[in-house]
mmCIF file of all heavy atoms in Angstrom:
data_model
loop_
_atom_site.group_PDB
_atom_site.id
_atom_site.type_symbol
_atom_site.label_atom_id
_atom_site.label_comp_id
_atom_site.label_asym_id
_atom_site.label_seq_id
_atom_site.Cartn_x
_atom_site.Cartn_y
_atom_site.Cartn_z
ATOM 1 N N SER A 19 15.454 9.158 -5.146
ATOM 2 C CA SER A 19 16.124 8.304 -6.133
ATOM 3 C C SER A 19 15.761 6.840 -5.920
ATOM 4 O O SER A 19 15.558 6.088 -6.877
ATOM 5 C CB SER A 19 17.643 8.487 -6.048
ATOM 6 O OG SER A 19 18.016 9.810 -6.373
ATOM 7 N N PHE A 20 15.686 6.432 -4.664
ATOM 8 C CA PHE A 20 15.263 5.075 -4.336
ATOM 9 C C PHE A 20 13.842 4.818 -4.837
ATOM 10 O O PHE A 20 13.550 3.767 -5.428
ATOM 11 C CB PHE A 20 15.350 4.862 -2.822
ATOM 12 C CG PHE A 20 14.573 3.673 -2.323
ATOM 13 C CD1 PHE A 20 15.040 2.381 -2.513
ATOM 14 C CD2 PHE A 20 13.357 3.852 -1.670
ATOM 15 C CE1 PHE A 20 14.316 1.279 -2.063
ATOM 16 C CE2 PHE A 20 12.629 2.771 -1.212
ATOM 17 C CZ PHE A 20 13.109 1.474 -1.408
ATOM 18 N N LEU A 21 12.953 5.788 -4.637
ATOM 19 C CA LEU A 21 11.571 5.616 -5.081
ATOM 20 C C LEU A 21 11.486 5.489 -6.600
ATOM 21 O O LEU A 21 10.634 4.753 -7.126
ATOM 22 C CB LEU A 21 10.717 6.792 -4.611
ATOM 23 C CG LEU A 21 10.505 6.927 -3.094
ATOM 24 C CD1 LEU A 21 9.594 8.120 -2.794
ATOM 25 C CD2 LEU A 21 9.916 5.657 -2.505
ATOM 26 N N GLU A 22 12.372 6.179 -7.307
ATOM 27 C CA GLU A 22 12.380 6.078 -8.765
ATOM 28 C C GLU A 22 12.607 4.637 -9.211
ATOM 29 O O GLU A 22 12.049 4.185 -10.216
ATOM 30 C CB GLU A 22 13.461 6.992 -9.355
ATOM 31 C CG GLU A 22 13.170 8.477 -9.223
ATOM 32 C CD GLU A 22 12.092 8.946 -10.193
ATOM 33 O OE1 GLU A 22 11.700 8.153 -11.079
ATOM 34 O OE2 GLU A 22 11.641 10.093 -10.062
ATOM 35 N N THR A 23 13.427 3.914 -8.464
ATOM 36 C CA THR A 23 13.703 2.517 -8.830
ATOM 37 C C THR A 23 12.521 1.606 -8.539
ATOM 38 O O THR A 23 12.470 0.478 -9.040
ATOM 39 C CB THR A 23 14.937 1.992 -8.069
ATOM 40 O OG1 THR A 23 14.635 1.889 -6.661
ATOM 41 C CG2 THR A 23 16.129 2.911 -8.249
ATOM 42 N N LYS A 24 11.580 2.066 -7.711
ATOM 43 C CA LYS A 24 10.417 1.254 -7.334
ATOM 44 C C LYS A 24 9.145 1.688 -8.052
ATOM 45 O O LYS A 24 8.089 1.101 -7.855
ATOM 46 C CB LYS A 24 10.179 1.356 -5.822
ATOM 47 C CG LYS A 24 11.382 0.957 -4.964
ATOM 48 C CD LYS A 24 11.746 -0.502 -5.179
ATOM 49 C CE LYS A 24 12.919 -0.903 -4.301
ATOM 50 N NZ LYS A 24 13.300 -2.330 -4.509
ATOM 51 N N LYS A 25 9.265 2.681 -8.893
ATOM 52 C CA LYS A 25 8.091 3.276 -9.532
ATOM 53 C C LYS A 25 7.441 2.308 -10.517
ATOM 54 O O LYS A 25 8.117 1.652 -11.313
ATOM 55 C CB LYS A 25 8.511 4.560 -10.259
ATOM 56 C CG LYS A 25 7.370 5.370 -10.831
ATOM 57 C CD LYS A 25 7.915 6.667 -11.411
ATOM 58 C CE LYS A 25 6.799 7.544 -11.961
ATOM 59 N NZ LYS A 25 7.346 8.815 -12.495
ATOM 60 N N THR A 26 6.128 2.226 -10.454
ATOM 61 C CA THR A 26 5.385 1.351 -11.345
ATOM 62 C C THR A 26 4.972 2.084 -12.613
ATOM 63 O O THR A 26 4.852 3.315 -12.611
ATOM 64 C CB THR A 26 4.119 0.813 -10.657
ATOM 65 O OG1 THR A 26 3.426 -0.055 -11.552
ATOM 66 C CG2 THR A 26 3.193 1.952 -10.270
ATOM 67 N N ASP A 27 4.765 1.334 -13.672
ATOM 68 C CA ASP A 27 4.236 1.931 -14.900
ATOM 69 C C ASP A 27 2.776 1.544 -15.093
ATOM 70 O O ASP A 27 2.237 1.612 -16.201
ATOM 71 C CB ASP A 27 5.069 1.506 -16.106
ATOM 72 C CG ASP A 27 5.139 -0.013 -16.267
ATOM 73 O OD1 ASP A 27 4.544 -0.733 -15.428
ATOM 74 O OD2 ASP A 27 5.781 -0.481 -17.231
ATOM 75 N N ALA A 28 2.135 1.135 -14.007
ATOM 76 C CA ALA A 28 0.732 0.744 -14.065
ATOM 77 C C ALA A 28 -0.135 1.923 -14.478
ATOM 78 O O ALA A 28 0.169 3.082 -14.186
ATOM 79 C CB ALA A 28 0.280 0.200 -12.707
ATOM 80 N N GLU A 29 -1.230 1.628 -15.136
ATOM 81 C CA GLU A 29 -2.165 2.664 -15.555
ATOM 82 C C GLU A 29 -3.243 2.866 -14.501
ATOM 83 O O GLU A 29 -3.446 2.042 -13.618
ATOM 84 C CB GLU A 29 -2.803 2.281 -16.901
ATOM 85 C CG GLU A 29 -1.806 2.184 -18.042
ATOM 86 C CD GLU A 29 -2.482 1.846 -19.356
ATOM 87 O OE1 GLU A 29 -3.709 1.584 -19.345
ATOM 88 O OE2 GLU A 29 -1.785 1.831 -20.388
ATOM 89 N N GLY A 30 -3.953 3.972 -14.621
ATOM 90 C CA GLY A 30 -5.029 4.250 -13.690
ATOM 91 C C GLY A 30 -4.557 5.023 -12.478
ATOM 92 O O GLY A 30 -3.425 5.523 -12.416
ATOM 93 N N THR A 31 -5.407 5.126 -11.487
ATOM 94 C CA THR A 31 -5.105 5.880 -10.269
ATOM 95 C C THR A 31 -4.001 5.197 -9.473
ATOM 96 O O THR A 31 -4.033 3.984 -9.251
ATOM 97 C CB THR A 31 -6.356 5.998 -9.391
ATOM 98 O OG1 THR A 31 -7.376 6.672 -10.125
ATOM 99 C CG2 THR A 31 -6.054 6.750 -8.104
ATOM 100 N N ILE A 32 -3.029 5.986 -9.046
ATOM 101 C CA ILE A 32 -1.966 5.483 -8.175
ATOM 102 C C ILE A 32 -2.254 5.975 -6.765
ATOM 103 O O ILE A 32 -2.388 7.180 -6.533
ATOM 104 C CB ILE A 32 -0.570 5.975 -8.619
ATOM 105 C CG1 ILE A 32 -0.345 5.653 -10.105
ATOM 106 C CG2 ILE A 32 0.505 5.346 -7.753
ATOM 107 C CD1 ILE A 32 -0.384 4.191 -10.454
ATOM 108 N N GLY A 33 -2.367 5.049 -5.826
ATOM 109 C CA GLY A 33 -2.708 5.400 -4.458
ATOM 110 C C GLY A 33 -1.604 5.077 -3.479
ATOM 111 O O GLY A 33 -0.599 4.449 -3.824
ATOM 112 N N ALA A 34 -1.796 5.524 -2.247
ATOM 113 C CA ALA A 34 -0.811 5.266 -1.196
ATOM 114 C C ALA A 34 -1.507 5.154 0.148
ATOM 115 O O ALA A 34 -2.538 5.790 0.383
ATOM 116 C CB ALA A 34 0.234 6.379 -1.151
ATOM 117 N N VAL A 35 -0.934 4.358 0.999
ATOM 118 C CA VAL A 35 -1.368 4.267 2.385
ATOM 119 C C VAL A 35 -0.116 4.147 3.243
ATOM 120 O O VAL A 35 0.863 3.516 2.832
ATOM 121 C CB VAL A 35 -2.319 3.061 2.605
ATOM 122 C CG1 VAL A 35 -1.623 1.745 2.289
ATOM 123 C CG2 VAL A 35 -2.878 3.052 4.015
ATOM 124 N N VAL A 36 -0.114 4.794 4.386
ATOM 125 C CA VAL A 36 1.034 4.762 5.302
ATOM 126 C C VAL A 36 0.594 4.048 6.566
ATOM 127 O O VAL A 36 -0.430 4.387 7.163
ATOM 128 C CB VAL A 36 1.527 6.179 5.636
ATOM 129 C CG1 VAL A 36 2.698 6.108 6.610
ATOM 130 C CG2 VAL A 36 1.939 6.907 4.360
ATOM 131 N N MET A 37 1.391 3.059 6.988
ATOM 132 C CA MET A 37 1.036 2.250 8.151
ATOM 133 C C MET A 37 2.252 2.001 9.020
ATOM 134 O O MET A 37 3.371 1.862 8.511
ATOM 135 C CB MET A 37 0.486 0.894 7.705
ATOM 136 C CG MET A 37 -0.788 0.944 6.908
ATOM 137 S SD MET A 37 -1.271 -0.731 6.399
ATOM 138 C CE MET A 37 -2.984 -0.466 5.998
ATOM 139 N N ASN A 38 2.016 1.910 10.321
ATOM 140 C CA ASN A 38 3.083 1.511 11.232
ATOM 141 C C ASN A 38 3.089 -0.008 11.397
ATOM 142 O O ASN A 38 4.127 -0.637 11.452
ATOM 143 C CB ASN A 38 2.898 2.184 12.595
ATOM 144 C CG ASN A 38 4.146 2.123 13.439
ATOM 145 O OD1 ASN A 38 5.255 2.020 12.929
ATOM 146 N ND2 ASN A 38 3.982 2.172 14.751
ATOM 147 N N CYS A 39 1.884 -0.608 11.471
ATOM 148 C CA CYS A 39 1.723 -2.061 11.556
ATOM 149 C C CYS A 39 2.512 -2.649 12.714
ATOM 150 O O CYS A 39 3.415 -3.462 12.534
ATOM 151 C CB CYS A 39 2.121 -2.732 10.248
ATOM 152 S SG CYS A 39 1.117 -2.212 8.843
ATOM 153 N N ASN A 40 2.127 -2.248 13.901
ATOM 154 C CA ASN A 40 2.878 -2.601 15.109
ATOM 155 C C ASN A 40 2.021 -3.436 16.071
ATOM 156 O O ASN A 40 1.645 -2.949 17.133
ATOM 157 C CB ASN A 40 3.325 -1.297 15.785
ATOM 158 C CG ASN A 40 4.209 -1.525 16.995
ATOM 159 O OD1 ASN A 40 5.027 -2.428 16.993
ATOM 160 N ND2 ASN A 40 4.038 -0.712 18.025
ATOM 161 N N PRO A 41 1.637 -4.694 15.674
ATOM 162 C CA PRO A 41 2.029 -5.469 14.491
ATOM 163 C C PRO A 41 0.943 -5.414 13.421
ATOM 164 O O PRO A 41 -0.071 -4.745 13.582
ATOM 165 C CB PRO A 41 2.148 -6.865 15.060
ATOM 166 C CG PRO A 41 1.023 -6.913 16.067
ATOM 167 C CD PRO A 41 0.956 -5.531 16.677
ATOM 168 N N PHE A 42 1.147 -6.174 12.338
ATOM 169 C CA PHE A 42 0.197 -6.257 11.234
ATOM 170 C C PHE A 42 -1.053 -7.004 11.682
ATOM 171 O O PHE A 42 -0.975 -8.114 12.211
ATOM 172 C CB PHE A 42 0.842 -6.982 10.055
ATOM 173 C CG PHE A 42 -0.002 -7.022 8.807
ATOM 174 C CD1 PHE A 42 -0.115 -5.902 8.003
ATOM 175 C CD2 PHE A 42 -0.672 -8.180 8.446
ATOM 176 C CE1 PHE A 42 -0.878 -5.934 6.844
ATOM 177 C CE2 PHE A 42 -1.439 -8.218 7.293
ATOM 178 C CZ PHE A 42 -1.548 -7.092 6.489
ATOM 179 N N THR A 43 -2.228 -6.399 11.461
ATOM 180 C CA THR A 43 -3.492 -6.984 11.908
ATOM 181 C C THR A 43 -4.432 -7.213 10.728
ATOM 182 O O THR A 43 -4.146 -6.791 9.597
ATOM 183 C CB THR A 43 -4.202 -6.065 12.915
ATOM 184 O OG1 THR A 43 -4.655 -4.889 12.214
ATOM 185 C CG2 THR A 43 -3.268 -5.655 14.044
ATOM 186 N N LEU A 44 -5.567 -7.835 11.005
ATOM 187 C CA LEU A 44 -6.601 -7.988 9.985
ATOM 188 C C LEU A 44 -7.191 -6.640 9.601
ATOM 189 O O LEU A 44 -7.721 -6.477 8.500
ATOM 190 C CB LEU A 44 -7.702 -8.919 10.498
ATOM 191 C CG LEU A 44 -7.289 -10.388 10.682
ATOM 192 C CD1 LEU A 44 -8.415 -11.181 11.317
ATOM 193 C CD2 LEU A 44 -6.867 -11.003 9.346
ATOM 194 N N GLY A 45 -7.089 -5.669 10.503
ATOM 195 C CA GLY A 45 -7.524 -4.313 10.183
ATOM 196 C C GLY A 45 -6.649 -3.696 9.116
ATOM 197 O O GLY A 45 -7.146 -3.028 8.187
ATOM 198 N N HIS A 46 -5.339 -3.895 9.196
ATOM 199 C CA HIS A 46 -4.425 -3.393 8.174
ATOM 200 C C HIS A 46 -4.714 -4.062 6.833
ATOM 201 O O HIS A 46 -4.745 -3.418 5.785
ATOM 202 C CB HIS A 46 -2.976 -3.654 8.582
ATOM 203 C CG HIS A 46 -2.540 -2.885 9.784
ATOM 204 N ND1 HIS A 46 -2.096 -3.493 10.940
ATOM 205 C CD2 HIS A 46 -2.498 -1.554 10.034
ATOM 206 C CE1 HIS A 46 -1.785 -2.573 11.839
ATOM 207 N NE2 HIS A 46 -2.022 -1.380 11.312
ATOM 208 N N ARG A 47 -4.902 -5.363 6.879
ATOM 209 C CA ARG A 47 -5.189 -6.114 5.659
ATOM 210 C C ARG A 47 -6.479 -5.589 4.997
ATOM 211 O O ARG A 47 -6.533 -5.403 3.776
ATOM 212 C CB ARG A 47 -5.337 -7.597 5.996
ATOM 213 C CG ARG A 47 -5.950 -8.468 4.908
ATOM 214 C CD ARG A 47 -5.034 -8.692 3.746
ATOM 215 N NE ARG A 47 -5.756 -9.372 2.647
ATOM 216 C CZ ARG A 47 -5.166 -10.052 1.682
ATOM 217 N NH1 ARG A 47 -3.848 -10.163 1.645
ATOM 218 N NH2 ARG A 47 -5.881 -10.624 0.743
ATOM 219 N N TYR A 48 -7.469 -5.321 5.799
ATOM 220 C CA TYR A 48 -8.751 -4.833 5.286
ATOM 221 C C TYR A 48 -8.583 -3.471 4.611
ATOM 222 O O TYR A 48 -9.115 -3.234 3.525
ATOM 223 C CB TYR A 48 -9.746 -4.736 6.441
ATOM 224 C CG TYR A 48 -11.063 -4.099 6.080
ATOM 225 C CD1 TYR A 48 -12.033 -4.799 5.369
ATOM 226 C CD2 TYR A 48 -11.351 -2.779 6.465
ATOM 227 C CE1 TYR A 48 -13.250 -4.206 5.041
ATOM 228 C CE2 TYR A 48 -12.564 -2.187 6.143
ATOM 229 C CZ TYR A 48 -13.504 -2.897 5.430
ATOM 230 O OH TYR A 48 -14.705 -2.313 5.102
ATOM 231 N N LEU A 49 -7.853 -2.578 5.231
ATOM 232 C CA LEU A 49 -7.630 -1.251 4.659
ATOM 233 C C LEU A 49 -6.901 -1.355 3.323
ATOM 234 O O LEU A 49 -7.245 -0.673 2.352
ATOM 235 C CB LEU A 49 -6.832 -0.383 5.631
ATOM 236 C CG LEU A 49 -6.404 1.004 5.135
ATOM 237 C CD1 LEU A 49 -7.609 1.814 4.679
ATOM 238 C CD2 LEU A 49 -5.638 1.752 6.213
ATOM 239 N N ILE A 50 -5.892 -2.207 3.255
ATOM 240 C CA ILE A 50 -5.136 -2.381 2.014
ATOM 241 C C ILE A 50 -6.026 -2.975 0.920
ATOM 242 O O ILE A 50 -5.967 -2.554 -0.244
ATOM 243 C CB ILE A 50 -3.888 -3.258 2.256
ATOM 244 C CG1 ILE A 50 -2.906 -2.515 3.177
ATOM 245 C CG2 ILE A 50 -3.207 -3.605 0.933
ATOM 246 C CD1 ILE A 50 -1.756 -3.369 3.667
ATOM 247 N N GLU A 51 -6.846 -3.936 1.269
ATOM 248 C CA GLU A 51 -7.770 -4.517 0.298
ATOM 249 C C GLU A 51 -8.709 -3.462 -0.271
ATOM 250 O O GLU A 51 -8.926 -3.382 -1.490
ATOM 251 C CB GLU A 51 -8.586 -5.641 0.946
ATOM 252 C CG GLU A 51 -7.814 -6.919 1.194
ATOM 253 C CD GLU A 51 -8.678 -7.971 1.879
ATOM 254 O OE1 GLU A 51 -9.722 -7.598 2.474
ATOM 255 O OE2 GLU A 51 -8.320 -9.151 1.824
ATOM 256 N N ARG A 52 -9.296 -2.658 0.613
ATOM 257 C CA ARG A 52 -10.234 -1.626 0.180
ATOM 258 C C ARG A 52 -9.535 -0.594 -0.716
ATOM 259 O O ARG A 52 -10.076 -0.184 -1.749
ATOM 260 C CB ARG A 52 -10.838 -0.917 1.395
ATOM 261 C CG ARG A 52 -11.814 -1.739 2.214
ATOM 262 C CD ARG A 52 -13.149 -1.897 1.501
ATOM 263 N NE ARG A 52 -13.745 -0.641 1.081
ATOM 264 C CZ ARG A 52 -14.521 0.139 1.858
ATOM 265 N NH1 ARG A 52 -14.767 -0.233 3.119
ATOM 266 N NH2 ARG A 52 -15.035 1.255 1.391
ATOM 267 N N ALA A 53 -8.355 -0.154 -0.297
ATOM 268 C CA ALA A 53 -7.631 0.869 -1.055
ATOM 269 C C ALA A 53 -7.181 0.344 -2.414
ATOM 270 O O ALA A 53 -7.312 1.028 -3.435
ATOM 271 C CB ALA A 53 -6.435 1.362 -0.255
ATOM 272 N N SER A 54 -6.658 -0.860 -2.452
ATOM 273 C CA SER A 54 -6.164 -1.423 -3.715
ATOM 274 C C SER A 54 -7.291 -1.631 -4.708
ATOM 275 O O SER A 54 -7.078 -1.575 -5.929
ATOM 276 C CB SER A 54 -5.431 -2.743 -3.463
ATOM 277 O OG SER A 54 -6.314 -3.731 -2.937
ATOM 278 N N ALA A 55 -8.509 -1.850 -4.210
ATOM 279 C CA ALA A 55 -9.662 -2.039 -5.090
ATOM 280 C C ALA A 55 -10.050 -0.738 -5.791
ATOM 281 O O ALA A 55 -10.721 -0.770 -6.832
ATOM 282 C CB ALA A 55 -10.845 -2.581 -4.296
#
């Protein structure tokens, strides 16, 4: 139900990545950039 409130209506492929980020690094940023592209 919580996810329903966060759901996007964007078009195209919807992707996901799961991260612990302990802590957040430039490696995490790079993966997110590549995936979002």
Side-chain angles (χ1 to χ4, degrees):
S19 297
F20 163 75
L21 293 182
E22 291 286 351
T23 68
K24 304 297 181 181
K25 187 175 182 179
T26 181
D27 57 359
E29 297 182 354
T31 300
I32 307 299
V35 62
V36 179
M37 297 178 162
N38 196 25
C39 299
N40 185 37
F42 185 77
T43 69
L44 292 175
H46 294 120
R47 166 72 188 201
Y48 173 77
L49 175 56
I50 294 170
E51 286 178 341
R52 289 286 307 274
S54 64

